[in-house]
Amino acid sequence: MPLLPEAGQGRGPRNHTRVDRHRPSASSTEARAAKARDLLQAAFEDLSQDQLKRFRHKLRDAALDGRSIPWGRLERADAVDLAEQMIQFYRPEPALDVARKTLKRADVRDVAARLKEQRLQWFGPGSSALLSVSEYKKKYREHVLQQHAKVKERNARSVKINKRFTKLLIARESAALVDEAPELAEEPEAERARRSDTHTFNRLFARDEEGQRPLTVVLQGPAGIGKTMAAKKILYDWAAGKLYHDQVDFAFFLPCRELLERPGPCSLARLVLDQCPHRSAPVRQMLARSERLLFILDGADELLPGPANAAPCTDPFEEADGARVLDGLMSKTLLPGARLLVTARAAAPGRLQGRLCSPQCAEVRGFSDKDKKKYFHKFFRDERMAECAYRFVKENDTLFALCFVPFVCWIVCTVLRQQLELHQDLSRTSKTTTSVYLLFITSVLSSAPAADGPQMQGELRKLGRLAREGTLRHRAQFPEKDLERLELRGSKVQTLFLSKKELPGVLETEVTYQFMDQSFQEFFAALSYLLEDERALEAPAEGVGALLRGDAELRGHLTLTTRFLFGLLNAERMRDIQRQFGRSVVSERVKQDVLRWVQEQGQGRPRAAPEGTEETEAPEGSEEPEEEEEGELSYPLELLYCLYETQESTFVHQALRGWPELRLERVRFSRLDLVVLSYCVRSCPAGQALRLVSCALVPPQEKKKKSLIKRLHGSLGGSSSQATTRKPQASPLCTLFEAMTDQHCGLHSLTLCRCRLPDSVCRDLSEALREAPALRELGLLHNRLSEAGLRVLSEGLAWPQCQVQKLRVWQPSLQEAFQYLTGMLRQSPALTTLELGDCRLSESIVTYLCAVLQYPGCRLQTLSLTSVELSEQSLKELQAVKTAKPGLVITHPALNGHPRPPAGRSSAL
């Protein structure tokens, strides 16, 4: 048994006494400190005066986490004082480790060896408290690698994260786009999405153009897009030493929903300790250097607005509820130097802006077309089945577009595998997210034995009730008593759709259940409104009104549930539900409630401003108007997604009657966004107005570069004949313009404001102007039209079938291409009103305009030049036209005795 040396002088042979194994237990803090103090004192008393002096000098340089005992306290300290100083400064067990290492450096190796032996005897091997923070980093990284090396598949099978993770497209948004209007053209190369590899993850916290490094990064994207998996991969790659090298010492993954539902108060320090491999981890020292920490907050959109008096947490050791701890981290009142990686659904960042401190946003855009194919082959493994399934989905344009979301891709693959294995016909009806989810549920029901059918139908109705209760109450964790109450514990649907989870409770571990994916909970919540007895939904807290109405800020987490509800109202899908669940559904009443709600949403919203007062039409360089609240800007787009899910043009037509004007502002249109917008425009009622203000287009995916031989062949003229006959490529807005030409489209007014229109968009819009049956007004405001673009638009306006009666063009460089507009006036069959603004017209241009206005074929009745700069000579010519043609109204502040506005300033604004 190891021996404890007696006190004495010198290093000669000594008598030793056995250590009593039955001395007071070291379990308490006081006992452990006392034992460490005894061991240190005995070791120091075993040193000669020269050795003790050399030890003190070496100890002065022995820093732990960057700290060391001041020399003033060490210079004259004896063995007793020295032991006490080290216990107080380093804490008991780290003090033993520091002493052992310093003894070795002072060349007193025999005493150092005895101290190591005694420490192991009393405090056990592998006690992490003996490690400094620098040493603990390695142990913690190893622990993270072990804990996150595998992730659970949705079928509960564990697979390696490197094998499970499929690279996604991630676009780091430029900070400038928050303050400046983007363009309705392809984004610049710097904003293009990049695949989520190590380089992309490292760039998330890269310095901007001004050399500033963001401390908060928001990964945003729709449900199921892979934000959580990407966040876990970032944590794993950090632990493997691939990310944030020499920048982050410790990284922690905090699932926000679990934290918010955790019983009782908890400190950030406790949450950190829960993720460490040892309960004696040096948490205080770990948190002391906040600039070396990374916190991953997964699902921060779950955080609802709290009471006004609930101040964010400021002390990492303060016991508080989860919301205050998260608020403290996000607002930087808690560990302000720490890095935050926040994941949130696409609709949530607007609501998070007030909580986060100078966030840098990055958009998770899901799978590229190439990644979709890779996913199919990874999922099926069988080459023939993978190719068959992929070809089928590729032929369904809308379904293929939906597969940019990895979870939707998984559902599609799961259903197709079942159909292929059973040699069934592949369904071709899935055009919406709702139909994909419903297809999955029905495939689960159809695969069950016939005898189990009625029981599973009843269990799924109860599962829907559980999902609805949790969704409305903002809960994702369900205790066992909830399952017992609904008779779901041990049921077939529990195994299929719920996963078991253990959460640390106040007194003991609490067993809870959650849906295998949050979007499944939201789908079942929506489905429950159609499966419940009508009487059960009459209570205000249970009816569809509880889902649709209420505080908009508190309804953010209900967005996907609402979208699913719209999708389930489709007549064909309701028949599927009725057939699969063997009972009639509560449909018509719910459908009318939903329709009424949509129309109510349009009431009271701002309409088009009176002519000449449009707030977004301010000239370049003028003061920007006060904007709507962030989160409201793209609200109509979310509503259009809901309407699209119904796939019922009659319902869309009725719903949009409550929305005479659809205004989409500062939206980055994805391919699916444009599919949704086009579908709704195709079904819009007569008199509908659409305004796109400061919108941008997500760029198309880059084509694979041609080989060098092909490029050389092209440059040498090998394909010149083909190039001259090649049809121009359609613009991304082609689907929208095609929808405008549908005979059922009632779009009356289209305004494009501050959306730079490339020539391809102008060309497709020009084609649509020739056929759009209801379009009567067109506004092109500050779109930086090129001369070629304005020429091709003028050709469309002059077409005999064009119905446009009012044209508004505001563009500083209008003079350069004005000849095309004036030429159009001679031929346009319908144009009666022309408004020009924010430009200067030369005298020669005005002379030509006056000649055209007096042309017999010109049908123009009103010419507005309110904000156009004109010379005195030009004003006289216009006045002469007014006199010669009394039926033509020409407006300008300097005509008819009105004072002329100052040069360079728009009098219309």
Side-chain angles (χ1 to χ4, degrees):
M1 182 175 291
L3 302 178
L4 180 68
E6 294 177 343
Q9 302 294 323
R11 291 186 55 193
R14 306 183 54 86
N15 294 323
H16 295 92
T17 57
R18 290 184 179 274
V19 175
D20 185 0
R21 294 290 303 272
H22 301 286
R23 294 180 67 179
S25 169
S27 60
S28 69
T29 303
E30 295 81 2
R32 295 172 79 87
K35 173 47 62 182
R37 188 181 293 107
D38 289 346
L39 292 176
L40 288 172
Q41 185 176 337
F44 298 152
E45 288 176 347
D46 205 25
L47 303 178
S48 66
Q49 288 298 324
D50 287 342
Q51 290 169 338
L52 187 62
K53 182 178 180 181
R54 192 160 64 245
F55 176 85
R56 288 196 299 259
H57 277 275
K58 295 292 183 182
L59 185 61
R60 179 175 59 177
D61 302 324
L64 181 65
D65 303 330
R67 303 185 310 151
S68 56
I69 303 175
W71 176 245
R73 300 182 189 177
L74 296 176
E75 188 175 8
R76 301 183 183 281
D78 59 13
V80 176
D81 291 338
L82 199 53
E84 186 63 32
Q85 289 280 0
M86 292 189 69
I87 294 294
Q88 293 295 325
F89 192 83
Y90 296 115
R91 293 187 303 119
E93 293 165 70
L96 291 171
D97 195 51
V98 171
R100 177 180 59 82
K101 291 179 179 179
T102 306
L103 285 167
K104 289 177 67 176
R105 291 172 57 226
D107 200 25
V108 193
R109 297 183 179 276
D110 54 344
V111 178
R114 282 202 302 273
L115 186 60
K116 178 180 179 181
E117 197 174 83
Q118 292 158 358
R119 184 261 292 166
L120 290 174
Q121 171 69 27
W122 282 95
F123 296 99
S127 174
S128 63
L130 298 175
L131 299 175
S132 66
V133 169
S134 57
E135 291 172 315
Y136 192 72
K137 284 191 297 187
K138 182 180 179 181
K139 283 190 173 292
Y140 180 75
R141 283 178 185 266
E142 291 170 352
H143 173 70
V144 171
L145 284 175
Q146 184 178 6
Q147 291 292 308
H148 295 274
K150 291 187 176 182
V151 291
K152 277 193 175 183
E153 292 273 52
R154 294 179 176 93
N155 57 10
R157 183 171 61 96
S158 292
V159 295
K160 291 181 178 179
I161 190 169
N162 284 332
K163 187 176 182 181
R164 168 70 174 79
F165 181 72
T166 304
K167 293 180 180 180
L168 307 169
L169 293 176
I170 296 180
R172 183 184 179 206
E173 294 182 8
S174 169
L177 291 176
V178 177
D179 302 312
E180 298 176 5
E183 300 167 350
L184 195 58
E186 292 186 16
E187 295 173 2
E189 181 65 29
E191 308 308 326
R192 288 185 182 274
R194 288 173 166 80
R195 294 166 68 82
S196 53
D197 53 16
T198 304
H199 177 67
T200 303
F201 289 150
N202 264 318
R203 287 183 72 250
L204 292 176
F205 287 98
R207 297 185 185 278
D208 59 20
E209 297 82 0
E210 298 175 357
Q212 299 297 314
R213 190 189 299 277
L215 290 180
T216 301
V217 173
V218 181
L219 274 183
Q220 64 188 68
I225 197 74
K227 302 181 295 295
T228 298
M229 184 59 67
K232 288 183 176 180
K233 185 65 165 61
I234 287 172
L235 179 69
Y236 183 81
D237 284 352
W238 164 80
K242 298 178 181 179
L243 290 179
Y244 317 130
H245 185 62
D246 291 334
Q247 298 175 25
V248 174
D249 290 340
F250 296 94
F252 308 100
F253 188 89
L254 300 179
C256 293
R257 177 164 277 201
E258 289 182 18
L259 179 56
L260 292 171
E261 295 183 19
R262 182 176 176 134
C266 185
S267 67
L268 179 62
R270 174 64 59 86
L271 295 174
V272 166
L273 185 61
D274 287 345
Q275 299 202 21
C276 293
H278 310 99
R279 302 304 295 175
S280 54
V283 174
R284 187 174 294 275
Q285 288 87 348
M286 290 162 65
L287 297 178
R289 300 186 65 188
S290 64
E291 70 279 2
R292 307 285 296 179
L293 303 178
L294 168 64
F295 290 93
I296 300 174
L297 308 184
D298 185 43
D301 49 297
E302 296 294 334
L303 187 60
L304 293 174
N309 58 350
C313 204
T314 58
D315 181 359
F317 295 92
E318 176 189 354
E319 297 283 328
D321 60 75
R324 287 189 59 214
V325 173
L326 288 175
D327 255 342
L329 283 172
M330 291 195 293
S331 64
K332 294 295 183 185
T333 61
L334 186 60
L335 302 183
R339 298 184 188 205
L340 297 184
L341 179 66
V342 179
T343 73
R345 289 190 175 181
R351 301 200 314 274
L352 288 175
Q353 288 298 323
R355 298 173 183 268
L356 296 171
C357 183
S358 303
Q360 165 72 58
C361 290
E363 184 183 358
V364 183
R365 294 181 179 170
F367 287 153
S368 66
D369 291 352
K370 187 177 179 181
D371 292 328
K372 293 173 192 174
K373 187 170 186 178
K374 282 185 177 180
Y375 184 89
F376 271 73
H377 283 266
K378 185 184 291 189
F379 181 93
F380 284 96
R381 299 180 185 175
D382 181 285
E383 194 72 21
R384 184 190 62 81
M385 289 180 68
E387 198 57 39
C388 179
Y390 179 75
R391 278 202 309 270
F392 158 70
V393 174
K394 187 86 183 286
E395 289 169 5
N396 185 331
D397 290 342
T398 309
L399 182 59
F400 188 66
L402 288 172
C403 284
F404 83 99
V405 177
F407 187 60
V408 172
C409 213
W410 175 81
I411 292 178
V412 170
C413 288
T414 302
V415 173
L416 292 180
R417 181 170 59 187
Q418 178 183 316
Q419 292 177 336
L420 286 169
E421 289 174 348
L422 298 176
H423 304 288
Q424 297 174 341
D425 290 334
L426 300 181
S427 172
R428 296 183 179 271
T429 59
S430 298
K431 289 186 176 181
T432 65
T433 307
T434 306
S435 61
V436 171
Y437 276 67
L438 185 60
L439 190 62
F440 180 79
I441 303 300
T442 55
S443 71
V444 169
L445 282 172
S446 61
S447 64
D452 294 344
Q455 181 181 347
M456 283 194 67
Q457 290 170 355
E459 289 175 354
L460 283 170
R461 284 195 294 273
K462 294 174 181 177
L463 188 67
R465 198 174 307 155
L466 179 73
R468 187 176 75 244
E469 291 174 0
T471 300
L472 293 178
R473 292 167 178 76
H474 211 260
R475 288 175 51 216
Q477 310 289 334
F478 301 97
E480 289 181 307
K481 63 181 181 181
D482 282 350
L483 273 68
E484 291 170 355
R485 171 173 54 86
L486 294 170
E487 300 176 337
L488 287 173
R489 189 176 180 189
S491 65
K492 183 76 172 175
V493 297
Q494 177 201 314
T495 307
L496 288 170
F497 297 108
L498 299 177
S499 58
K500 188 176 180 181
K501 196 170 185 67
E502 294 184 352
L503 294 175
V506 178
L507 299 176
E508 58 184 15
T509 301
E510 181 182 359
V511 176
T512 64
Y513 295 86
Q514 65 184 41
F515 282 81
M516 65 176 180
D517 189 87
Q518 187 180 338
S519 60
F520 264 130
Q521 177 179 339
E522 292 159 312
F523 177 81
F524 276 109
L527 183 61
S528 71
Y529 288 104
L530 300 179
L531 297 179
E532 284 281 19
D533 294 325
E534 197 159 350
R535 287 171 297 178
L537 296 175
E538 288 177 353
E542 299 296 333
V544 71
L547 173 67
L548 299 176
R549 294 174 176 84
D551 189 336
E553 194 173 9
L554 300 177
R555 287 187 60 258
H557 69 290
L558 302 176
T559 299
L560 189 57
T561 308
T562 304
R563 198 185 287 188
F564 280 138
L565 178 62
F566 274 77
L568 292 170
L569 294 177
N570 173 276
E572 184 180 343
R573 283 192 277 278
M574 285 195 288
R575 286 193 293 272
D576 288 340
I577 295 170
Q578 193 163 332
R579 184 169 56 252
Q580 292 292 337
F581 287 86
R583 58 178 292 169
S584 59
V585 295
V586 183
S587 58
E588 200 53 43
R589 177 176 173 180
V590 173
K591 198 167 189 175
Q592 289 305 312
D593 285 346
V594 170
L595 178 60
R596 191 160 45 249
W597 175 76
V598 175
Q599 293 173 337
E600 288 172 359
Q601 295 300 295
Q603 295 173 5
R605 295 187 73 83
R607 299 295 195 268
E611 186 174 330
T613 61
E614 174 69 49
E615 72 275 14
T616 58
E617 296 170 21
E620 301 279 349
S622 65
E623 189 174 341
E624 288 290 335
E626 195 169 319
E627 294 179 359
E628 298 177 69
E629 284 185 27
E630 188 152 2
E632 288 291 312
L633 298 178
S634 60
Y635 174 77
L637 182 60
E638 177 53 39
L639 186 74
L640 296 181
Y641 262 96
C642 290
L643 295 176
Y644 173 78
E645 286 291 322
T646 67
Q647 288 294 295
E648 284 193 0
S649 57
T650 303
F651 185 89
V652 175
H653 185 90
Q654 291 176 318
L656 288 179
R657 283 179 177 171
W659 288 77
E661 179 183 87
L662 288 171
R663 177 187 172 113
L664 299 174
E665 184 171 357
R666 302 170 78 89
V667 176
R668 265 198 180 92
F669 286 112
S670 67
R671 189 194 320 180
L672 193 56
D673 291 338
L674 291 172
V675 169
V676 169
L677 177 60
S678 303
Y679 177 83
C680 294
V681 165
R682 192 181 299 273
S683 305
C684 69
Q688 184 77 56
L690 173 64
R691 292 180 176 239
L692 305 183
V693 181
S694 300
C695 292
L697 291 175
V698 171
Q701 292 161 20
E702 294 182 59
K703 303 282 186 183
K704 191 173 182 180
K705 289 184 178 179
K706 293 182 179 179
S707 67
L708 178 61
I709 294 176
K710 286 185 177 180
R711 279 184 280 148
L712 286 172
H713 180 65
S715 65
L716 293 172
S719 58
S720 59
S721 59
Q722 294 180 5
T724 56
T725 59
R726 188 181 301 156
K727 185 179 178 181
Q729 187 177 2
S731 73
L733 288 182
C734 181
T735 54
L736 173 62
F737 298 146
E738 285 179 357
M740 288 166 45
T741 65
D742 190 283
Q743 293 307 303
H744 297 98
C745 173
L747 188 66
H748 176 83
S749 173
L750 173 65
T751 301
L752 302 173
C753 177
R754 296 190 185 279
C755 304
R756 190 172 73 179
L757 303 180
D759 292 346
S760 61
V761 172
C762 293
R763 183 182 60 249
D764 289 340
L765 176 56
S766 177
E767 292 292 330
L769 293 176
R770 307 178 186 201
E771 301 179 50
L775 192 67
R776 299 294 183 270
E777 297 182 8
L778 177 63
L780 304 170
L781 314 172
H782 300 295
N783 294 303
R784 303 182 192 175
L785 296 169
S786 71
E787 185 174 344
L790 195 56
R791 184 189 72 243
V792 74
L793 282 172
S794 298
E795 291 171 359
L797 288 163
W799 199 257
Q801 284 75 37
C802 179
Q803 301 293 315
V804 174
Q805 298 174 353
K806 180 177 180 179
L807 174 65
R808 308 172 71 197
V809 181
W810 289 48
Q811 178 165 317
S813 59
L814 184 59
Q815 180 169 287
E816 300 168 7
F818 192 72
Q819 60 192 22
Y820 304 118
L821 278 180
T822 51
M824 173 269 300
L825 291 177
R826 304 175 62 154
Q827 305 174 50
S828 176
L831 192 69
T832 59
T833 301
L834 174 63
E835 178 185 320
L836 305 177
D838 193 30
C839 63
R840 182 182 182 278
L841 297 181
S842 66
E843 291 183 357
S844 60
I845 288 290
V846 174
T847 300
Y848 178 51
L849 172 62
C850 290
V852 171
L853 291 174
Q854 298 184 72
Y855 183 75
C858 179
R859 294 176 173 81
L860 201 66
Q861 298 174 8
T862 302
L863 174 63
S864 175
L865 304 171
T866 308
S867 59
V868 176
E869 188 177 344
L870 300 171
S871 70
E872 293 294 337
Q873 176 62 32
S874 295
L875 289 170
K876 289 178 181 178
E877 292 185 38
L878 287 169
Q879 185 65 54
V881 172
K882 285 187 67 174
T883 304
K885 201 171 182 180
L888 175 61
V889 177
I890 303 178
T891 60
H892 188 277
L895 289 175
N896 298 326
H898 291 92
R900 184 175 178 179
R905 186 171 180 82
S906 172
S907 63
L909 304 172

